[in-house]
Amino acid sequence: MPLVRSLSMTSLNGLPLWEDEDLLVEDLLLFEVSWEVTNKVGGIYTVIQTKARITADEWGENYFLMGPYFEHNVKTQVEVCEPLNPAIKKAVETMKGQGCQVFFGRWLIEGSPYVVLFDIASAAWNLDRWKGEFWDASNIGIPFQDREANDAVIFGSLTAWFLKEISSQIDDKPNIIAHFHEWQAGVGIILTRFRKLPVATIFTTHATLLGRYLCAANIDFYNNLDQHEESRCCQTLLKPHMNGLDPKFDIDKEAGERQIYHRYCMERASVHCAHVFTTVSQITATEAEHMLKRNADVVTPNGLNIKKFSATHEFQNLHIMYKARIQEFIRGHFYGHLDFNLENTLFFFIAGRYEFSNKGADIFLEALSRLNFLLRVHKSDTTVVVFFIMPAKTNNFNVETLKGQAVRKQLWDTAQSVKEKFGKKLYDALLRGEIPDLNKILDRDDITIMKRAIFATQRQTLPPVTTHNMLDDSNDPILNTIRRIGLFNNRTDRVKVILHPEFLSSASPLLPMDYEEFVRGCHLGVFPSYYEPWGYTPGIYIVDRRFRSPDESCNQLTQFLYGFCQQSRRQRIIQRNRTERLSDLLDWRYLGRYYMHARHLALSRAFPEKFEMEPSAPPKTEGFRYPRPSSVPPSPSVSQPSSPHQSDEEDEDEDERYDEDEEAERDKQNIKAPFSLGIMPPGKKQQHGEYRN
């Protein structure tokens, strides 16, 4: 069959060769504020966690993260210690002296950055007073029943208080930069500006609140962005009086009907209070322009920490190792129904917040139903096991799932016991120079043990489609869709479904793997989101969710999945190798520069007498050139086989057209060395704002 591969590239012209003027970080303090510092809620946790290493390398002891204190998180993720910086130490002691618990330590991730964590519960007695101060600053009232918004007020007030204590101890240096992520941290930026603290502020939205809600309501969001009109939301700090309305779409009305108007106002005020406003993608920047009424100053794309290997086979070996661990779980989960070949089984997954429509779980399930039909009709011997890693409310592990893993372990122990006994008898026979009678080498007890083990694998029920007991099983959208399409893990199904409603952890008794290990072990991640700010979903196949109907998008996704199932193992390895080589494009060593630009821009706006910045357009993130590889068809959409079965001769011919070494050398030449801090050509002074495309 034709080889389906990721796109090749011959140029990185879209990535600017940009040299930033040196910032003397010893004269600066950088604080990064988020509700997801040491507290995993969604993708922002991963963004901050993976970016910490390059930021810590750049800023050293002058980089601090601020977040909420949760005891269970601190016990496993933080090494508590005393602050060395005297200003930080005094601020912590001052707040503790006034009854607020503040914890300082190092986050046990790559880079080991310092963290300042505020105990929200210990400061809750100040809530009414702080809500009043927030009203004075913004004219935004917070309903008493919205606990998340109330926590945001406490967290933001503590953040602003801490920054005030720091800045009060500083005369001229060091200057302070505070970078706030998402609306939960937004109160801090509003109060910081209202109190006129000498702090350069940055606000990043990873997704707008109202945009997320509208997309979840099945509104044609992106095709109607130009219909959005100004909101009537008003803050005394900004004093915009906007009352234009559009009968097709009313921002205030939509936010009010969803009972998030106060949150929307908090988010919008945060955006307008920041010296620099950033988003994580161009599409989110467009969304923010219409929803929050401010253009993004800088687009700061999300990156990854790319671990490079000295040889191609190293990451292939990792895939094999982690795939074997997933296979062990499958052996237990499908005990009694393991009538498919695990060596010819593909593992797909979707992961993220449990947003059924926004994250594309709805279209994915429908595509899986159609894929199951195609594989059965064409009598394919390929089996697909699909994992849904989406946290939901549960009360415990499913008993049947735990039993499956216990049965698997018991069978393994039985096999090991019989093997040792068999091996000893075989060894003794060979020492005597005899060829043992294989019919007698296993005695009656061995046969009985094995029969009991086989009997233990008998099962009268189907393998469960979820690993946990769901609290609201009857109203769960994924489970209800599974019931509708009939993917119940029957023997005849070529597509099996497993819902794992909590984030993966190496400490889990069920599937003891970290997310990164799990991804390595799977064959394909599927993220057909309708609302996707960017996240970590750059793909080999792109499903059109904007200009096609839902049914057409579903058929397109089904075609991609079916084509992937028909690839040979060699073709999948080639695809994986190219993806690994091109992954440098998403390394924080490249993409971290946009955060550097945002920080310098914020300093130049907050302290224009100290920091200058040449007026120029911010670096752009679009414009990568992806020419067609000469050895393959131009895109996956036309790379599908014309018939369900391709001849071996066609496979061999396609493989001969592809030279792995030649393609690897071409990629090596095209991907430039990653951006590194502080490296300058001799004799050349860095000028901030120089971008060459």
Side-chain angles (χ1 to χ4, degrees), residues 238-338:
L238 310 172
K239 303 192 186 306
H241 185 68
M242 307 169 179
N243 53 17
L245 295 176
D246 189 301
K248 295 181 180 179
F249 199 85
D250 186 330
I251 291 178
D252 296 310
K253 178 175 177 291
E254 297 290 348
E257 286 180 348
R258 289 160 176 79
Q259 300 183 8
I260 59 163
Y261 185 70
H262 56 288
R263 296 188 185 189
Y264 165 72
C265 290
M266 293 165 72
E267 179 182 43
R268 181 166 169 177
S270 304
V271 167
H272 285 269
C273 285
H275 289 106
V276 171
F277 170 49
T278 79
T279 66
V280 296
S281 67
Q282 190 57 51
I283 194 168
T284 310
T286 302
E287 176 186 342
E289 177 186 354
H290 291 283
M291 307 297 289
L292 303 174
K293 307 306 172 188
R294 179 174 178 179
N295 293 324
D297 298 298
V298 185
V299 172
T300 53
N302 295 335
L304 295 166
N305 282 333
I306 305 299
K307 182 180 179 181
K308 303 308 292 181
F309 300 96
S310 58
T312 302
H313 68 268
E314 289 186 45
F315 61 81
Q316 180 62 28
N317 290 342
L318 286 178
H319 167 69
I320 293 171
M321 179 175 68
Y322 294 131
K323 182 180 70 172
R325 289 165 63 175
I326 297 174
Q327 287 174 336
E328 282 301 291
F329 169 79
I330 295 299
R331 288 186 175 99
H333 192 81
F334 287 90
Y335 82 92
H337 288 257
L338 201 63

Side-chain angles (χ1 to χ4, degrees), residues 246 271 283 367 408 506-507 524 533 579:
D246 189 301
V271 167
I283 194 168
R408 176 194 62 78
S506 58
L524 187 70
T579 303

Side-chain angles (χ1 to χ4, degrees), residues 187-430:
V187 173
I189 200 171
I190 296 169
L191 294 176
T192 297
R193 295 301 308 280
F194 180 71
R195 294 167 183 170
K196 297 181 171 56
L197 300 183
V199 177
T201 57
I202 306 169
F203 183 79
T204 296
T205 182
H206 297 253
T208 70
L209 266 171
L210 190 54
R212 190 186 299 276
Y213 275 84
L214 289 173
C215 289
N218 295 320
I219 290 176
D220 189 9
F221 179 68
Y222 292 109
N223 290 327
N224 286 283
L225 277 179
D226 57 344
Q227 303 290 344
H228 299 340
E229 292 292 338
E230 300 289 355
S231 166
R232 297 189 297 273
C233 178
C234 178
Q235 294 85 33
T236 58
L237 197 64
L238 310 172
K239 303 192 186 306
H241 185 68
M242 307 169 179
N243 53 17
L245 295 176
D246 189 301
K248 295 181 180 179
F249 199 85
D250 186 330
I251 291 178
D252 296 310
K253 178 175 177 291
E254 297 290 348
E257 286 180 348
R258 289 160 176 79
Q259 300 183 8
I260 59 163
Y261 185 70
H262 56 288
R263 296 188 185 189
Y264 165 72
C265 290
M266 293 165 72
E267 179 182 43
R268 181 166 169 177
S270 304
V271 167
H272 285 269
C273 285
H275 289 106
V276 171
F277 170 49
T278 79
T279 66
V280 296
S281 67
Q282 190 57 51
I283 194 168
T284 310
T286 302
E287 176 186 342
E289 177 186 354
H290 291 283
M291 307 297 289
L292 303 174
K293 307 306 172 188
R294 179 174 178 179
N295 293 324
D297 298 298
V298 185
V299 172
T300 53
N302 295 335
L304 295 166
N305 282 333
I306 305 299
K307 182 180 179 181
K308 303 308 292 181
F309 300 96
S310 58
T312 302
H313 68 268
E314 289 186 45
F315 61 81
Q316 180 62 28
N317 290 342
L318 286 178
H319 167 69
I320 293 171
M321 179 175 68
Y322 294 131
K323 182 180 70 172
R325 289 165 63 175
I326 297 174
Q327 287 174 336
E328 282 301 291
F329 169 79
I330 295 299
R331 288 186 175 99
H333 192 81
F334 287 90
Y335 82 92
H337 288 257
L338 201 63
D339 52 359
F340 51 91
N341 183 4
L342 280 177
E343 293 305 317
N344 201 24
T345 298
L346 302 178
F347 299 129
F348 296 174
F349 75 95
I350 181 174
R353 293 173 184 260
Y354 198 144
E355 297 177 9
F356 184 64
S357 298
N358 284 356
K359 295 302 181 183
D362 52 352
I363 190 175
F364 187 29
L365 280 166
E366 185 61 41
L368 291 175
S369 176
R370 300 180 188 188
L371 174 64
N372 186 50
F373 174 78
L374 288 175
L375 294 175
R376 290 174 62 180
V377 165
H378 297 305
K379 294 181 170 41
S380 173
D381 58 356
T382 298
T383 302
V384 177
V385 177
V386 185
F387 292 87
F388 285 75
I389 313 295
M390 292 181 149
K393 292 182 179 179
T394 64
N395 58 21
N396 212 329
F397 291 111
N398 186 304
V399 173
E400 190 64 22
T401 303
L402 289 174
K403 179 184 175 183
Q405 299 308 312
V407 169
R408 176 194 62 78
K409 187 177 185 306
Q410 181 185 15
L411 284 174
W412 173 258
D413 292 342
T414 299
Q416 292 299 106
S417 174
V418 173
K419 183 181 76 172
E420 289 181 10
K421 200 170 179 181
F422 178 93
K424 188 175 184 305
K425 290 181 180 180
L426 178 61
Y427 174 66
D428 290 340
L430 293 176

Side-chain angles (χ1 to χ4, degrees), residues 110 262 388 489 515 655:
E110 288 190 80
H262 56 288
F388 285 75
N489 295 337
Y515 180 70
D655 287 348

